[in-house]
Amino acid sequence: MALEHAILVSLLEKPGSGYELARRFERSIGYFWTATHQQIYRVLKRMENDGWVDVRDVPQQGRPDKKEYSVADLGRAALSSWLQDPIEPESVRHDLAVKIRGAAFDDPAVLTREVERHRQAHRDRLAHYRAGETRDFPGPEASTAAPGAPLDAERELQHVVLRGGIAYEQMMIDWLDDVLATLARFGPSR
Amino acid sequence: MALEHAILVSLLEKPGSGYELARRFERSIGYFWTATHQQIYRVLKRMENDGWVDVRDVPQQGRPDKKEYSVADLGRAALSSWLQDPIEPESVRHDLAVKIRGAAFDDPAVLTREVERHRQAHRDRLAHYRAGETRDFPGPEASTAAPGAPLDAERELQHVVLRGGIAYEQMMIDWLDDVLATLARFGPSR
DNA sequence: GGTTGCTATGCAACGAGTTGCATAGCAGGA
DNA sequence: TCCTGCTATGCAACTCGTTGCATAGCAACC
């Protein structure tokens, strides 16, 4: 499992509350790891008990107080240990692929609409990622302007992960086009 | 959830025992949906109770008896209903992406080795898929040789799903190359 | 004869993830 | 004033998936 590790990475990049973490899991981190606020609060509590994170009560004006979490030494050690630990290449879970094979035993027209919906969703995500890239990583080598600062690594790694998300969405769009073309080939004849 | 639906599709393609299903989930179906034999047996039992599948005791020589499952009318209806039901485009879970962003706070050399391992695993899978494609789908239009038989749809859909697996592995390999190049750029300077 | 290994099925316990619900302060608009 | 909506946190119940273990028949090999 890696939710606690994803939280550690996010808190290292910037300390924050459970609520803020939940926000981030809808944005950048959420591109490759989803989590609801429930999971986050639960895991944060456990991490606090284990001494992985420090908590600080932050009063706010105009809104409820928040608990700001930051990574403690034990948490850093735990993350480091996990990073050393090899993981298995993840196995995929594609509901849509099940549906596509299942369409052989049902109405393909329904599947066509479903695939079109998914393609649109992936198009939207791709546009969203590209906008984020333009906003956060402008200019070809602008990121290496500062000479050898360690912050560069953080940014470059964030960028390469984002490029992964873009490549994934592009691949999905292309493949769904292939699926639609395949459906069109034998769909009308029925 | 779609494990029961994946099982239904697999049983429609060909009836079989829980053990045989587990085998298939290590092969073709497993390309896009993983399941252990435990899950399969548990779900099969539930599906049997719900009348989704029929069971038949098959004595075998030289090996233990098996229970052969096939899809009942109720199961077919359940699958059909699920196929009609729109699903959300799946959210990704990439441990490796978490690790990559985490590498900014740890030794990047360790990550380099990890990424190389994963790239090799994806290369292996890609080779495996391509071999399966050559074996099961030879010739450009050989599949459409039989005139308009419904079996064509089944094969074509299996093929397009396999092409999706191939596209995914190829994309991952390209991206991991990108990751390695990025790591090489600032890795040595530390 | 004992060990290993494959087919074939299953229980029990645990951990992770989802869903529904609850609380509470405060802001802004109808 | 009431309703909606956002910040902020949390409980409880449930489902799903993983892991370890157990059983049992039979084949092949040393």
Side-chain angles (χ1 to χ4, degrees), chain A residues 18-19 23 37-38 41 45 60 63-64 67 93:
Chain A
Y19 190 82
R23 295 278 116 167
H37 73 277
Q38 291 304 343
Y41 283 123
K45 183 142 288 181
Q60 298 181 111
R63 51 181 69 175
K67 298 184 185 175
R93 284 274 167 103

Side-chain angles (χ1 to χ4, degrees), chain B residues 114-131:
Chain B
E114 178 87 328
V115 171
E116 280 166 350
R117 262 190 54 242
H118 280 247
R119 187 178 54 167
Q120 190 52 50
H122 287 287
R123 278 184 184 284
D124 291 348
R125 275 198 217 162
L126 179 61
H128 185 221
Y129 289 5
R130 284 207 201 281

Side-chain angles (χ1 to χ4, degrees), chain B residues 84-95:
Chain B
Q84 310 286 321
D85 204 36
I87 50 174
E88 285 310 298
E90 49 269 321
S91 41
V92 206
R93 285 273 168 101
H94 280 307
D95 298 71

Side-chain angles (χ1 to χ4, degrees), chain B residues 5-23:
Chain B
H5 304 111
I7 289 176
L8 285 172
V9 170
S10 191
L11 288 180
L12 279 172
E13 289 177 353
K14 188 169 166 45
S17 69
Y19 189 83
E20 283 163 351
L21 281 170
R23 295 277 116 167

Side-chain angles (χ1 to χ4, degrees), chain A residues 70-135:
Chain A
S70 53
V71 179
D73 289 345
L74 273 174
R76 239 190 127 112
L79 178 64
S80 182
S81 151
W82 177 71
L83 288 172
Q84 310 285 321
D85 206 34
I87 50 174
E88 284 310 297
E90 48 269 322
S91 41
V92 204
R93 284 274 167 103
H94 280 306
D95 297 71
L96 196 56
V98 178
K99 279 201 171 193
I100 291 168
R101 278 176 74 149
F105 309 98
D106 211 82
D107 182 10
V110 176
L111 181 67
T112 299
R113 286 194 291 279
E114 178 86 331
V115 171
E116 278 165 352
R117 264 189 53 243
H118 280 248
R119 186 179 54 167
Q120 190 53 49
H122 286 289
R123 276 183 185 286
D124 292 348
R125 274 198 219 162
L126 180 61
H128 185 221
Y129 289 4
R130 284 206 201 280
E133 189 180 28
T134 310
R135 175 170 30 83

Side-chain angles (χ1 to χ4, degrees), chain A residues 3 7 10 48 50-51 53 79-80 83 94 99 108 114 119 126 133 140 144 163 170 183 185 190:
Chain A
L3 177 54
I7 289 176
S10 191
E48 189 189 339
D50 294 350
V53 291
L79 178 64
S80 182
L83 288 172
H94 280 306
K99 279 201 171 193
E114 178 86 331
R119 186 179 54 167
L126 180 61
E133 189 180 28
T144 47
R163 287 201 299 274
Q170 189 60 62
L183 285 168
R185 235 181 299 144
R190 289 171 61 116

Side-chain angles (χ1 to χ4, degrees), chain A:
Chain A
M1 223 298 295
L3 177 54
E4 37 236 290
H5 305 109
I7 289 176
L8 285 172
V9 170
S10 191
L11 288 180
L12 279 172
E13 289 177 353
K14 189 169 163 48
S17 69
Y19 190 82
E20 284 163 350
L21 282 170
R23 295 278 116 167
R24 291 183 213 172
F25 274 87
E26 289 170 4
R27 298 178 44 259
S28 65
I29 307 272
Y31 298 160
F32 52 89
W33 199 273
T34 58
T36 63
H37 73 277
Q38 291 304 343
Q39 285 177 71
I40 292 167
Y41 283 123
R42 200 199 305 170
V43 171
L44 273 177
K45 183 142 288 181
R46 191 176 61 224
M47 290 166 80
E48 189 189 339
N49 289 336
D50 294 350
W52 288 21
V53 291
D54 295 322
V55 201
R56 198 168 61 94
D57 264 55
V58 178
Q60 298 181 111
Q61 68 271 50
R63 51 181 69 175
D65 296 355
K66 67 173 181 180
K67 298 184 185 175
E68 193 180 78
Y69 291 87
S70 53
V71 179
D73 289 345
L74 273 174
R76 239 190 127 112
L79 178 64
S80 182
S81 151
W82 177 71
L83 288 172
Q84 310 285 321
D85 206 34
I87 50 174
E88 284 310 297
E90 48 269 322
S91 41
V92 204
R93 284 274 167 103
H94 280 306
D95 297 71
L96 196 56
V98 178
K99 279 201 171 193
I100 291 168
R101 278 176 74 149
F105 309 98
D106 211 82
D107 182 10
V110 176
L111 181 67
T112 299
R113 286 194 291 279
E114 178 86 331
V115 171
E116 278 165 352
R117 264 189 53 243
H118 280 248
R119 186 179 54 167
Q120 190 53 49
H122 286 289
R123 276 183 185 286
D124 292 348
R125 274 198 219 162
L126 180 61
H128 185 221
Y129 289 4
R130 284 206 201 280
E133 189 180 28
T134 310
R135 175 170 30 83
D136 297 333
F137 306 99
E141 298 309 302
S143 55
T144 47
L151 213 83
D152 274 346
E154 198 178 315
R155 275 180 54 79
E156 291 237 36
L157 290 171
Q158 285 179 6
H159 192 184
V160 80
V161 168
L162 180 55
R163 287 201 299 274
I166 289 171
Y168 176 77
E169 299 302 331
Q170 189 60 62
M171 181 274 300
M172 284 299 289
I173 292 165
D174 293 343
W175 176 57
L176 293 178
D177 283 339
D178 184 9
V179 173
L180 287 171
T182 304
L183 285 168
R185 235 181 299 144
F186 63 81
S189 67
R190 289 171 61 116

